[in-house]
């Protein structure tokens, strides 16, 4: 393996695309046209040119010890306001548990007075926050950076397991501790510090910058991002943003050869909670029917689990692009696998062989390619001598990129219809007319459990010359110029988000949506996601600020064809 992959896999040519009166100022940089043989095209690293002096000044500032202490203090302060969001929260104004967001706003106002006095700040639905930094060039679509103010509640039973109290915000010289330190207050605070630092240096953007901070990403999302989305679409119009960056996975360091893989997510799986209820007359259990509602429900659950969804692996899908990058650049992949992946670009039999190989070797891959189903809730029955009148399950689905809510509905109906017919029960599915034995009092009723079905997201284009290249080039540059950089190269690979973020509300605002947080795999989640001992490396937060600063400056001096 060559020691510096990034120079091998990226061509050096910079592409200049003149644009209007700024042709001499803005050069579209970093774009490398994919060759027919490059299954994982890479871009050059991209750092500000017009603003190179400003950029250098900020880099100097960010590496100073007192700046770093300020960063640790600000993130610690943000963590100390326990902005927990709960699944059973009533709307803002009807539930006093939202009041703590007022304290969080006061903390932000006192920590970032320059941001509050220089930017237009809008409160959407009382606690949602939108910061508007007007650019001077109306032809450039604004940039949207998102994060969320809320955190997953701390289970009081686990408070004793925390090395430092969950809302301490304590900095121990390496880690900043507490719920929200990583998810997602570090994104939020890093964005504000980057903007604050740019304001203090006198930077005046050409491209408008908008920051949007929801309040219930960890629960429904409807009170925060749901309302902010409506406000943003009304204010700026549909498809009005150049691109959107929200939280997501970061980058991983390959311990074997020091290669870094960064994986911004360009799409997100869909979501569907399906409730299946079986209803029948009650009665004394000394004269039971052959199958009680619980028995019927059990047959349904067995049928579901025996019939998982098919895995799909189309060449146009994100999983295919992701696999091509991993195989092409992971030094552990065998020559045989590399050849197979190459052949799969055009040959259908090889594509199928590759799919089967990957499904067998990597459970995460299986999850990526399939609509998953998990029977997560079951209840029924009240008394041991009474027949259960109702038995219920709720099945959680994460819908594959190329599938849909309608596909899931069809899958379930096709499985349950024969059971309903065999047992002479009527089937009512998703509000459609009864499908068997209409009018029979023994019923199977299938519905969207909470009315929260979500289609898989649109897939962000990765065509050369667009925002994907700008993001990829910025990630590369932020890593390569870091004091911590100690790698043999960087590969940026598009990925598929398995969970959902606030971006699910923002589809109308831009086709270019990314989910990415600029952390290494050893920087955040001391213990794992949403559990005890959440912590983030102090130095990683500074890297985060460097990344956002570069992203803002690069976006300001790059024309994006969107
Ligand atoms: C099925 O249900 C229908 C409608 O209630 C009823 O007329 C019929 O006798 C039932 N058949 C069986 C085999 O239970
Ligand atoms: C960089 O990585 C090499 C190889 O893993 C290691 O020997 C060296 O100590 C590292 N240097 C730093 C500054 O982390
Ligand atoms: C997106 O636009 C469609 C069509 O105008 C509209 O029905 C929908 O409510 C919008 N979605 C959001 C989240 O605002
Ligand atoms: Zn989050």
């Amino acid at each position: 393996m060559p020691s510096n992959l990034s120079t091998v896999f990226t061509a050096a040519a910079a592409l200049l695309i003149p644009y209007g009166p700024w042709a001499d100022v803005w050069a579209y940089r970093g774009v490398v046209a994919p060759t027919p043989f490059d299954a994982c095209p890479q871009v050059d690293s991209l750092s500000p040119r017009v603003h190179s002096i400003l950029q250098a000044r900020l880099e100097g500032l960010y590496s100073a010890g007192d700046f770093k202490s300020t960063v640790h203090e600000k993130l610690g302060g943000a963590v100390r306001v326990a902005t927990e969001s709960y699944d059973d929260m009533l709307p803002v104004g009807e539930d006093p548990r939202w009041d703590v967001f007022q304290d969080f706003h006061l903390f932000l106002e006192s920590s970032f007075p320059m941001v509050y006095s220089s930017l237009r700040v809008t409160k959407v639905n009382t606690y949602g926050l939108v910061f508007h930094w007007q650019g001077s060039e109306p032809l450039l679509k604004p940039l949207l950076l998102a994060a969320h103010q809320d955190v997953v509640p701390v289970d009081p039973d686990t408070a004793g397991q925390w090395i430092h109290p969950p809302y301490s915000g304590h900095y121990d010289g390496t880690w900043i501790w507490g719920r929200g330190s990583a998810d997602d207050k570090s994104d939020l605070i890093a964005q504000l510090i980057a903007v604050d630092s740019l304001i203090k240096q006198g930077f005046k953007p050409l491209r408008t910058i908008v920051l949007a901070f929801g309040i219930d990403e960890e629960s429904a999302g409807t009170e925060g991002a749901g309302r902010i989305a409506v406000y943003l679409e009304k204010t700026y119009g549909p498809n009005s943003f150049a691109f959107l960056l929200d939280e997501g996975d970061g980058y991983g360091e390959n311990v074997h050869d020091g290669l870094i893989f960064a994986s911004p997510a360009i799409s997100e799986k869909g979501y569907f909670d399906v409730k299946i209820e079986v209803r029948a007359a009650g009665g004394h259990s000394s004269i039971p029917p052959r199958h009680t509602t619980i028995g019927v429900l059990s047959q349904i659950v067995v049928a579901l689990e025996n019939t998982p969804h098919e895995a799909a692996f189309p060449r146009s899908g994100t999983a295919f692009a992701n696999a091509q990058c991993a195989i092409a650049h992971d030094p552990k992949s065998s020559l045989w696998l590399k050849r197979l992946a190459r052949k799969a670009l055009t040959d259908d039999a090889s594509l199928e062989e590759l799919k089967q190989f990957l499904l067998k070797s990597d459970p995460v891959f299986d999850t990526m390619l399939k609509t998953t189903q998990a029977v997560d809730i079951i209840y029924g029955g009240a008394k041991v001598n009474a027949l259960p009148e109702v038995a219920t399950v709720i099945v959680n689905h994460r819908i594959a990129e190329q599938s849909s809510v309608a596909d899931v509905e069809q899958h379930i109906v096709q499985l349950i219809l024969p059971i309903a017919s065999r047992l002479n029960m009527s089937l009512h599915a998703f509000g459609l007319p009864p499908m068997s034995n209409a009018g029979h009092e023994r019923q199977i009723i299938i519905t969207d459990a909470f009315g929260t079905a979500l289609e898989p997201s649109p897939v962000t284009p990765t065509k050369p010359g667009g925002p994907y290249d700008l993001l990829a080039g910025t990630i590369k540059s932020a890593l390569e110029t870091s004091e911590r950089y100690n790698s043999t190269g960087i590969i940026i690979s598009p990925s598929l988000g398995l969970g959902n973020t606030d971006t699910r509300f923002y589809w109308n605002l831009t086709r270019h949506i990314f989910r990415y947080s600029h952390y290494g795999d050893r920087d955040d989640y001391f213990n794992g996601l949403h559990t005890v001992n959440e912590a983030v490396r102090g130095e990683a937060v500074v890297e985060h600020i460097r990344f956002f600063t570069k992203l803002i400056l690069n976006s300001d001096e790059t024309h994006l064809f969107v």
Side-chain angles (χ1 to χ4, degrees):
M1 224 48 197
S3 65
N4 192 339
L5 281 174
S6 68
T7 56
V8 173
F9 289 100
T10 58
L15 199 64
L16 279 163
I17 301 177
Y19 177 76
W22 309 284
D24 52 341
V25 181
W26 293 331
Y28 194 85
R29 293 156 295 140
V31 180
V32 178
T35 69
F37 304 104
D38 195 347
C40 178
Q42 295 295 303
V43 298
D44 278 344
S45 76
L46 185 68
S47 56
R49 285 189 187 169
V50 177
H51 296 295
S52 59
I53 293 170
L54 170 61
Q55 157 78 23
R57 245 192 349 252
L58 284 166
E59 289 278 29
L61 177 78
Y62 293 165
S63 62
D66 54 345
F67 177 83
K68 291 179 181 172
S69 329
T70 308
V71 169
H72 304 148
E73 264 163 43
K74 288 202 165 140
L75 181 54
V79 168
R80 283 191 281 277
V81 189
T83 46
E84 296 186 340
S85 78
Y86 306 88
D87 285 336
D88 61 350
M89 213 89 153
L90 298 171
V92 171
E94 295 172 33
D95 194 323
R97 287 178 294 178
W98 293 110
D99 295 351
V100 66
F101 286 84
Q102 180 59 32
D103 301 339
F104 191 60
H105 288 195
L106 291 174
F107 165 78
L108 293 179
E109 278 167 46
S110 65
S111 304
F112 300 100
M114 288 284 275
V115 174
Y116 274 80
S117 61
S118 314
L119 273 56
R120 192 172 79 224
V121 184
T122 308
K123 294 184 179 177
V124 179
N125 194 23
T126 314
Y127 298 125
L129 279 173
V130 176
F131 295 81
H132 173 102
W133 195 1
Q134 181 63 44
S136 56
E137 180 42 72
L139 285 177
L140 295 176
K141 285 185 176 181
L143 155 68
L144 180 57
L145 300 177
H148 60 89
Q149 304 173 52
D150 61 308
V151 301
V152 177
V154 172
D155 180 347
D157 291 345
T158 64
Q161 295 171 35
W162 286 72
I163 296 170
H164 298 283
Y167 293 107
S168 64
H170 175 68
Y171 176 59
D172 66 4
T174 305
W175 298 91
I176 297 161
W177 292 88
R179 171 67 82 233
S181 57
D183 182 9
D184 183 36
K185 284 177 173 164
S186 45
D187 273 309
L188 187 150
I189 293 296
Q191 288 172 16
L192 286 172
I193 293 178
V195 167
D196 190 47
S197 307
L198 285 161
I199 295 170
K200 288 174 175 161
Q201 294 295 322
F203 173 68
K204 302 243 184 305
L206 291 172
R207 186 189 293 281
T208 295
I209 296 150
V210 177
L211 312 180
F213 301 151
I215 53 174
D216 55 350
E217 194 278 338
E218 302 291 4
S219 43
T222 45
E223 291 292 301
R227 297 283 291 269
I228 291 173
V230 173
Y231 165 78
L232 291 175
E233 193 177 343
K234 215 172 73 196
T235 309
Y236 297 89
N239 196 26
S240 53
F241 288 87
F243 70 94
L244 158 62
L245 177 64
D246 197 354
E247 62 175 336
D249 284 343
Y251 58 89
E253 288 171 79
N254 189 326
V255 287
H256 296 283
D257 70 339
L259 202 61
I260 290 178
F261 273 83
S263 322
I266 59 165
S267 76
E268 228 169 64
K269 288 181 99 175
Y271 187 99
F272 195 10
D273 288 318
V274 175
K275 179 155 108 181
I276 304 168
E277 267 180 317
V278 179
R279 294 182 168 270
H284 200 279
S285 72
S286 57
I287 35 168
R290 178 144 182 233
H291 300 291
T292 67
T293 54
I294 293 174
V296 174
L297 193 67
S298 308
Q299 296 190 31
I300 291 173
V301 170
V302 169
L304 279 174
E305 293 208 334
N306 282 342
T307 320
H309 288 256
E310 295 285 321
F313 192 40
R315 289 190 185 91
S316 57
T318 303
F320 184 79
N322 191 267
Q324 286 290 348
C325 278
I327 294 166
H329 299 295
D330 186 341
K332 280 174 292 165
S333 39
S334 65
L335 199 57
W336 169 81
L337 184 57
K338 282 178 200 274
R339 284 199 186 119
L340 180 62
R342 181 72 50 93
K343 276 172 72 187
L345 288 167
T346 49
D347 175 55
D348 290 349
S350 303
L351 179 65
E352 183 58 26
E353 193 181 345
L354 178 63
K355 171 178 151 188
Q356 295 308 335
F357 173 82
L358 292 170
L359 286 175
K360 250 183 263 140
S361 56
D362 187 349
V364 176
F365 206 76
D366 188 70
T367 307
M368 273 206 285
L369 297 196
K370 274 179 190 162
T371 294
T372 58
Q373 53 179 20
V375 182
D376 283 334
I377 294 180
I378 186 161
Y379 47 88
K383 208 164 175 313
V384 81
N385 60 356
L387 295 170
E389 282 147 346
V390 190
T392 307
V393 286
I394 300 179
V395 189
N396 176 249
H397 295 84
R398 305 302 175 110
I399 307 172
E401 188 174 84
Q402 47 291 126
S403 185
S404 64
V405 171
D407 284 350
V408 174
E409 291 183 351
Q410 198 185 348
H411 181 88
I412 288 183
V413 167
Q414 278 174 356
L415 279 177
I416 296 182
L417 193 53
I419 297 174
S421 306
R422 179 159 47 78
L423 300 177
N424 204 7
M425 298 180 77
S426 72
L427 174 63
H428 304 258
F430 306 111
L432 297 170
M435 293 186 192
S436 73
N437 308 299
H440 201 285
E441 57 161 0
R442 288 171 65 82
Q443 298 180 333
I444 301 170
I445 301 162
I446 315 174
T447 52
D448 178 349
F450 309 108
T452 50
L454 176 72
E455 297 289 353
S457 75
V459 180
T460 298
T462 54
K463 281 201 292 291
Y468 177 81
D469 282 354
L470 179 92
L471 176 66
T474 304
I475 294 171
K476 225 171 213 179
S477 168
L479 287 169
E480 283 173 352
T481 58
S482 164
E483 285 166 8
R484 310 159 85 207
Y485 185 65
N486 182 25
S487 293
T488 49
I490 300 159
I491 300 299
I492 317 283
S493 161
S495 73
L496 167 68
L498 300 180
N500 295 113
T501 60
D502 272 344
T503 60
R504 68 191 185 276
F505 296 101
Y506 295 145
W507 296 350
N508 286 350
L509 301 175
T510 174
R511 290 168 63 220
H512 300 270
I513 298 180
F514 304 102
R515 302 115 185 124
Y516 174 77
S517 295
H518 189 67
Y519 292 118
D521 46 11
R522 281 170 282 166
D523 286 339
D524 57 355
Y525 307 117
F526 185 81
N527 247 3
L529 194 72
H530 293 183
T531 179
V532 298
N533 289 324
E534 182 173 344
V536 66
R537 256 178 226 280
E539 59 185 32
V541 187
V542 177
E543 293 302 321
H544 225 61
I545 296 163
R546 294 182 59 247
F547 163 74
F548 281 125
T549 304
K550 261 182 203 277
L551 186 69
I552 290 171
L553 292 177
N554 279 336
S555 317
D556 203 67
E557 57 184 73
T558 305
H559 182 81
L560 294 167
F561 298 93
V562 292

